[in-house]
Amino acid sequence: MNSTTTASAVDIAKDERLRNQSIIRKAMHRPELGAVAGALLVFGFFGIFAGDSGMFSASGTINFLEVSAQLGIIAVAAALLMIAGEFDLSIGSMIAFSGLVVAIPVSVWGLPMWMAIIIAFIGAVGIGYLNGYLVVRTKLPSFIVTLAFLFILRGLAIGFTRLITGRTQVGGLKEAAENDWLASLFHGEVGTSLFSWLAKIGWLETNFAGQPMVTGIPVSIIWWMVIAALATWVLLMTRFGNWIFACGGDANAARNVGVPVNKVKITLFIFTALAATVFACLQVLDAGSADTNRGLLKEFEAIIAVVIGGALLTGGYGSAIGAVFGALIFGTVQMGIFYTGVNTDWFKVFMGVMMLLAVMFNNYVRKKATESH
């Protein structure tokens, strides 16, 4: 068996119909190359200007990874949808809406936290399905349909919250989350024993009480890694992943070869809404409150992270790993500006410049890769 496999590999290596390519040329075909290069550039920049500020200490690293993780969760879902040729501009409003669906039943009606979380996820499935159904049925551009839901969901969040509570914020959720079996998946840290042991043997910095400065890995980072790994596996290893690329490349051609384009797109709209709800649960249980203003502009930040990650706005090209690096650049810059002492008002300027540079760099790389054929 092994000899047969080895012989086949040798035959393929000697096949004159296949052209050998260098590792660099193969890398140029990867959509995430621009994001990886951008991440190295950002790390180098802050290594020089904020290297002695504690940004890259254990606690500093956890800080920018946690910020990156929150955006990365929705960016990965947005990446799959963009590869399939669609947008979802209602992600930010979905975060606020889902957070209040969790908070109001617990705070006002006394429902257990686990039940409120399940209701929020069921609602996300329904809204994601409705978004996708309207897009594929009406043939309207998805940015028009989801732009409408951006306002509808934000309006519902504000209207119902003020109607039921008289306020735009709902707090007092910390106690309800304690000892709740489902809430424990969305707040707290993992690996606390490991971090305590590392501090005990001197591998981690400790405070005046001898406790580690970093007590564990926030669950948001774990969610980010799990969702990114799942999305990458689906894209690269499954038939559904091929369907996603086919839908974004040429939907009509995909239909002609039997790809269920409508089902694929509706499924991805549902996935995006579920990712926004995961984000909402993490935020609500971390802060102990919900707010109608949560998630503002997150839809645009997610799209920018995906574009920085190498995905095409026209669909058919991109990767989940690219979105991970795009979100990592965001989180690093956001926290890096804080560590360098620069006014955070300049963050959005940097964000826009990064998006422009990323698109230009990705276009340049794709052009060079095409010329090499």
Coordinates of all heavy atoms in Angstrom, one line a residue, residues 35-79:
A35 N -3.2 40.1 3.5 CA -3.5 40.3 4.9 C -2.3 39.8 5.8 O -2.0 40.5 6.8 CB -4.7 39.5 5.3
V36 N -1.7 38.7 5.4 CA -0.5 38.3 6.2 C 0.6 39.3 6.1 O 1.2 39.7 7.1 CB 0.0 36.9 5.6 CG1 1.3 36.5 6.3 CG2 -1.1 35.8 5.8
A37 N 0.9 39.8 4.9 CA 1.9 40.9 4.7 C 1.5 42.1 5.5 O 2.4 42.7 6.2 CB 2.0 41.2 3.3
G38 N 0.2 42.5 5.5 CA -0.2 43.7 6.3 C -0.1 43.4 7.8 O 0.3 44.4 8.5
A39 N -0.4 42.2 8.2 CA -0.2 41.9 9.7 C 1.2 42.0 10.1 O 1.6 42.6 11.2 CB -0.8 40.5 10.0
L40 N 2.1 41.5 9.3 CA 3.6 41.6 9.6 C 4.0 43.1 9.6 O 4.8 43.5 10.5 CB 4.4 40.8 8.5 CG 4.2 39.3 8.6 CD1 5.0 38.7 7.4 CD2 4.7 38.7 9.9
L41 N 3.5 43.9 8.7 CA 3.8 45.3 8.7 C 3.3 46.0 9.9 O 4.1 46.8 10.5 CB 3.2 45.9 7.4 CG 3.5 47.4 7.2 CD1 5.0 47.5 6.8 CD2 2.6 47.9 6.0
V42 N 2.1 45.7 10.3 CA 1.6 46.3 11.5 C 2.3 45.9 12.8 O 2.6 46.7 13.6 CB 0.1 45.9 11.7 CG1 -0.5 46.3 13.0 CG2 -0.8 46.6 10.6
F43 N 2.6 44.6 12.9 CA 3.4 44.1 14.0 C 4.8 44.8 14.1 O 5.3 45.2 15.1 CB 3.5 42.6 14.0 CG 2.4 41.9 14.6 CD1 1.5 41.2 13.8 CD2 2.1 41.9 16.0 CE1 0.4 40.5 14.3 CE2 1.0 41.3 16.5 CZ 0.1 40.6 15.7
G44 N 5.4 44.9 12.9 CA 6.7 45.5 12.9 C 6.6 47.0 13.3 O 7.5 47.5 14.0
F45 N 5.6 47.7 12.8 CA 5.4 49.1 13.1 C 5.3 49.3 14.6 O 6.0 50.1 15.2 CB 4.2 49.6 12.4 CG 3.9 51.1 12.7 CD1 4.5 52.1 12.0 CD2 2.9 51.4 13.7 CE1 4.2 53.4 12.3 CE2 2.6 52.7 14.0 CZ 3.2 53.7 13.3
F46 N 4.4 48.5 15.2 CA 4.1 48.7 16.7 C 5.3 48.1 17.5 O 5.5 48.5 18.7 CB 2.8 48.2 17.1 CG 1.6 49.0 16.6 CD1 0.8 48.6 15.6 CD2 1.4 50.3 17.2 CE1 -0.3 49.3 15.2 CE2 0.4 51.1 16.7 CZ -0.5 50.6 15.7
G47 N 6.0 47.2 16.9 CA 7.2 46.6 17.6 C 8.2 47.7 17.8 O 8.9 47.8 18.8
I48 N 8.3 48.6 16.8 CA 9.3 49.7 16.9 C 8.8 50.8 17.8 O 9.5 51.3 18.6 CB 9.6 50.2 15.4 CG1 10.2 49.1 14.6 CG2 10.4 51.5 15.5 CD1 10.4 49.5 13.1
F49 N 7.5 51.2 17.6 CA 7.0 52.4 18.3 C 6.3 52.1 19.6 O 6.1 53.0 20.4 CB 6.1 53.2 17.4 CG 6.8 53.8 16.2 CD1 6.7 53.1 14.9 CD2 7.5 54.9 16.3 CE1 7.4 53.7 13.8 CE2 8.2 55.5 15.2 CZ 8.1 54.8 13.9
A50 N 6.0 50.8 19.9 CA 5.3 50.5 21.1 C 5.9 49.3 21.8 O 5.2 48.7 22.7 CB 3.8 50.4 20.9
G51 N 7.1 48.9 21.3 CA 7.6 47.6 21.8 C 7.9 47.6 23.3 O 7.9 46.6 24.0
D52 N 8.2 48.8 23.9 CA 8.6 48.8 25.3 C 7.4 49.3 26.2 O 7.6 49.7 27.3 CB 9.8 49.8 25.5 CG 9.6 51.2 24.9 OD1 8.5 51.3 24.3 OD2 10.4 52.1 25.2
S53 N 6.2 49.3 25.6 CA 5.1 49.9 26.3 C 4.2 48.8 27.0 O 3.3 49.0 27.7 CB 4.1 50.6 25.4 OG 3.6 49.8 24.4
G54 N 4.6 47.5 26.8 CA 3.8 46.4 27.3 C 2.8 45.8 26.4 O 2.1 44.9 26.7
M55 N 2.8 46.4 25.1 CA 1.8 45.9 24.2 C 1.9 44.4 23.8 O 1.0 43.7 23.6 CB 1.9 46.7 22.9 CG 0.9 46.3 21.8 SD 1.0 47.3 20.3 CE -0.2 46.4 19.3
F56 N 3.2 44.0 23.8 CA 3.4 42.6 23.4 C 3.8 41.7 24.6 O 4.3 40.6 24.5 CB 4.6 42.5 22.4 CG 4.2 43.2 21.1 CD1 4.7 44.4 20.7 CD2 3.3 42.5 20.2 CE1 4.3 45.0 19.5 CE2 2.9 43.1 19.0 CZ 3.4 44.4 18.7
S57 N 3.5 42.2 25.8 CA 3.5 41.4 27.0 C 2.3 40.4 27.0 O 1.5 40.5 26.1 CB 3.5 42.2 28.3 OG 2.2 42.8 28.3
A58 N 2.3 39.5 27.9 CA 1.2 38.5 27.9 C -0.2 39.2 28.0 O -1.1 38.8 27.3 CB 1.4 37.5 29.1
S59 N -0.3 40.1 28.9 CA -1.6 40.8 29.1 C -1.9 41.7 27.9 O -3.0 41.8 27.4 CB -1.6 41.7 30.4 OG -0.5 42.6 30.3
G60 N -0.9 42.4 27.3 CA -1.1 43.2 26.1 C -1.5 42.3 24.9 O -2.4 42.7 24.2
T61 N -0.9 41.2 24.8 CA -1.2 40.3 23.7 C -2.7 39.8 23.8 O -3.4 39.8 22.8 CB -0.3 39.1 23.6 OG1 1.1 39.6 23.5 CG2 -0.6 38.2 22.5
I62 N -3.1 39.4 25.0 CA -4.5 39.0 25.2 C -5.4 40.1 24.9 O -6.5 39.9 24.3 CB -4.7 38.5 26.7 CG1 -4.0 37.2 26.9 CG2 -6.1 38.4 27.0 CD1 -4.6 36.0 26.1
N63 N -5.0 41.4 25.3 CA -5.9 42.5 25.0 C -6.2 42.7 23.5 O -7.4 42.8 23.1 CB -5.3 43.8 25.5 CG -5.4 43.9 27.0 OD1 -6.2 43.2 27.6 ND2 -4.5 44.7 27.6
F64 N -5.1 42.7 22.7 CA -5.4 43.0 21.2 C -6.0 41.7 20.6 O -6.8 41.8 19.6 CB -4.3 43.5 20.5 CG -3.1 42.7 20.3 CD1 -3.1 41.6 19.4 CD2 -1.9 42.9 20.9 CE1 -2.0 40.8 19.1 CE2 -0.7 42.1 20.7 CZ -0.8 41.1 19.8
L65 N -5.7 40.5 21.1 CA -6.4 39.3 20.6 C -7.9 39.3 20.9 O -8.7 38.9 20.0 CB -5.7 38.1 21.1 CG -4.4 37.7 20.5 CD1 -3.8 36.4 21.2 CD2 -4.4 37.5 19.0
E66 N -8.2 39.8 22.0 CA -9.7 39.8 22.4 C -10.4 40.8 21.5 O -11.5 40.5 21.1 CB -9.8 40.2 23.9 CG -11.2 39.9 24.4 CD -11.3 40.1 25.9 OE1 -10.3 40.5 26.6 OE2 -12.4 39.7 26.5
V67 N -9.8 41.9 21.3 CA -10.5 42.9 20.4 C -10.6 42.3 19.0 O -11.7 42.4 18.3 CB -9.7 44.2 20.4 CG1 -10.3 45.2 19.3 CG2 -9.7 44.9 21.8
S68 N -9.6 41.7 18.5 CA -9.6 41.0 17.2 C -10.6 39.9 17.1 O -11.3 39.8 16.1 CB -8.2 40.5 16.9 OG -7.2 41.4 17.0
A69 N -10.7 39.2 18.2 CA -11.6 38.0 18.2 C -13.1 38.5 18.0 O -13.8 37.8 17.3 CB -11.5 37.2 19.5
Q70 N -13.5 39.6 18.7 CA -14.9 40.0 18.6 C -15.2 40.3 17.1 O -16.3 40.0 16.6 CB -15.1 41.2 19.5 CG -15.0 40.8 21.0 CD -15.3 42.0 21.9 OE1 -15.3 43.1 21.5 NE2 -15.4 41.7 23.2
L71 N -14.3 41.1 16.5 CA -14.6 41.4 15.1 C -14.4 40.2 14.2 O -15.1 40.0 13.2 CB -13.6 42.5 14.6 CG -13.7 42.9 13.1 CD1 -15.1 43.4 12.8 CD2 -12.7 43.9 12.8
G72 N -13.4 39.3 14.5 CA -13.1 38.2 13.7 C -14.3 37.2 13.6 O -14.5 36.6 12.6
I73 N -15.1 37.1 14.7 CA -16.2 36.1 14.7 C -17.2 36.5 13.5 O -17.7 35.7 12.8 CB -16.9 36.2 16.0 CG1 -16.0 35.4 17.1 CG2 -18.3 35.5 16.0 CD1 -16.5 35.6 18.5
I74 N -17.5 37.8 13.4 CA -18.5 38.2 12.4 C -17.8 38.3 11.0 O -18.4 38.2 10.0 CB -19.2 39.5 12.8 CG1 -18.2 40.6 13.1 CG2 -20.2 39.3 13.9 CD1 -18.9 42.0 13.3
A75 N -16.5 38.6 11.0 CA -15.8 38.8 9.8 C -15.6 37.5 9.0 O -15.8 37.4 7.8 CB -14.4 39.4 10.0
V76 N -15.4 36.4 9.8 CA -15.3 35.1 9.1 C -16.6 34.7 8.4 O -16.7 34.2 7.3 CB -14.9 34.0 10.2 CG1 -15.1 32.6 9.6 CG2 -13.5 34.2 10.6
A77 N -17.8 34.9 9.2 CA -19.1 34.6 8.6 C -19.3 35.5 7.4 O -19.8 35.1 6.3 CB -20.2 34.8 9.6
A78 N -19.0 36.8 7.5 CA -19.1 37.8 6.4 C -18.3 37.3 5.2 O -18.7 37.5 4.0 CB -18.8 39.2 6.8
A79 N -17.1 36.8 5.4 CA -16.2 36.3 4.4 C -16.9 35.2 3.5 O -16.8 35.3 2.3 CB -14.9 35.8 4.9

